[in-house]
Amino acid sequence: AQSVTQLGSHVSVSEGALVLLRCNYSSSVPPYLFWYVQYPNQGLQLLLKYTSAATLVKGINGFEAEFKKSETSFHLTKPSAHMSDAAEYFCAVRRGINKFYFGSGTKLNVKP
Amino acid sequence: GAVVSQHPSWVICKSGTSVKIECRSLDFQATTMFWYRQFPKQSLMLMATSNEGSKATYEQGVEKDKFLINHASLTLSTLTVTSAHPEDSSFYICSAREGTGSGETQYFGPGTRLLVL
């Protein structure tokens, strides 16, 4: 079965600090991987996606994620956190045509 | 990125009534749309896959007679919650698929918050 695990339901960083949100997937073959961000009372916005073209994927708002097959990971990073980055982040994996499996989400808090 | 809209953004209804939620892809055609629900502090759970011109495919445990899905055009899918009850209160989010193969991406609507009294 396809699953996605996000370690840490809450992450708190200071403004300007490194952001690291963890995502591990379980799959026998490299899947398509996505990171989405959700602001309060809103839908999900695509940050970036991995489709096997390059292991380091750059997304919007300065975020990037690196696909590491040996670790089955797709962690999301940003060098310097902004207050506006405070939101909930979801890692998702797509297998087949229709199936998107979402992680449980990580709520990012940015302290001034 | 592509834009997906939902209407209404929130709705309050009485128990026993039916509620229709619309999902539209504004700048692309989507042969496939998806409906999710999200409970507070939880992740998204896929309810069903909506295919233009054919019947929707429901996930296990989702009542197809309660959650009616219609995908009448390439830009519109509707979810009707029939005879709504308080336990149906949730955040409903749709998404539309753009592209194929490795380029495929799902774009999500802003969600509809349903409160059943």
Side-chain angles (χ1 to χ4, degrees):
Chain A
Q2 187 66 65
S3 67
V4 176
T5 303
Q6 290 183 241
L7 294 178
S9 59
H10 289 80
V11 170
S12 186
V13 301
S14 297
E15 191 173 18
L18 171 71
V19 176
L20 171 61
L21 305 181
R22 300 177 186 275
C23 173
N24 288 86
Y25 66 93
S26 62
S27 174
S28 58
V29 296
Y32 297 126
L33 294 158
F34 303 78
W35 274 101
Y36 286 88
V37 59
Q38 184 180 34
Y39 296 98
N41 298 313
Q42 295 186 26
L44 275 66
Q45 180 182 6
L46 178 66
L47 277 178
L48 50 81
K49 63 179 179 180
Y50 166 75
T51 59
S52 75
T55 56
L56 182 62
V57 182
K58 295 186 182 298
I60 62 172
N61 301 340
F63 285 93
E64 61 182 37
E66 185 172 9
F67 172 75
K68 291 187 177 180
K69 182 179 178 180
S70 60
E71 300 178 5
T72 61
S73 69
F74 190 57
H75 302 330
L76 181 71
T77 60
K78 182 174 181 178
S80 177
H82 294 161
M83 297 297 292
S84 60
D85 294 327
E88 189 156 20
Y89 293 80
F90 290 93
C91 180
V93 61
R94 178 176 72 85
R95 290 289 296 158
I97 298 175
N98 294 336
K99 298 295 186 181
F100 261 61
Y101 297 88
F102 285 87
S104 54
T106 298
K107 192 161 291 187
L108 175 66
N109 178 46
V110 181
K111 298 175 291 185
Chain B
V3 179
V4 176
S5 70
Q6 279 184 245
H7 178 81
S9 57
W10 61 272
V11 57
I12 301 174
C13 69
K14 293 182 179 180
S15 186
T17 61
S18 294
V19 175
K20 180 185 284 188
I21 303 171
E22 292 185 349
C23 177
R24 292 181 185 273
S25 57
L26 297 186
D27 51 1
F28 66 102
Q29 293 183 330
T31 56
T32 304
M33 293 183 175
F34 305 88
W35 287 96
Y36 297 82
R37 72 186 293 183
Q38 184 181 30
F39 291 104
K41 299 182 180 181
Q42 294 188 29
S43 189
L44 279 73
M45 297 298 295
L46 178 65
M47 298 175 64
T49 302
S50 171
N51 300 296
E52 188 268 336
S54 64
K55 292 182 179 180
T57 304
Y58 291 81
E59 294 300 298
Q60 193 172 10
V62 177
E63 299 177 59
K64 62 180 180 180
D65 294 331
K66 180 160 187 68
F67 299 100
L68 300 179
I69 291 172
N70 184 277
H71 194 156
S73 77
L74 290 172
T75 60
L76 173 64
S77 175
T78 60
L79 169 69
T80 301
V81 183
T82 61
S83 186
H85 289 96
E87 58 265 29
D88 298 324
S89 299
S90 189
F91 193 47
Y92 292 87
I93 303 176
C94 75
S95 70
R97 189 176 75 193
E98 184 192 37
T100 58
S102 62
E104 176 185 325
T105 302
Q106 283 195 26
Y107 293 96
F108 287 79
T112 297
R113 189 163 299 283
L114 170 64
L115 177 61
V116 184
L117 303 177

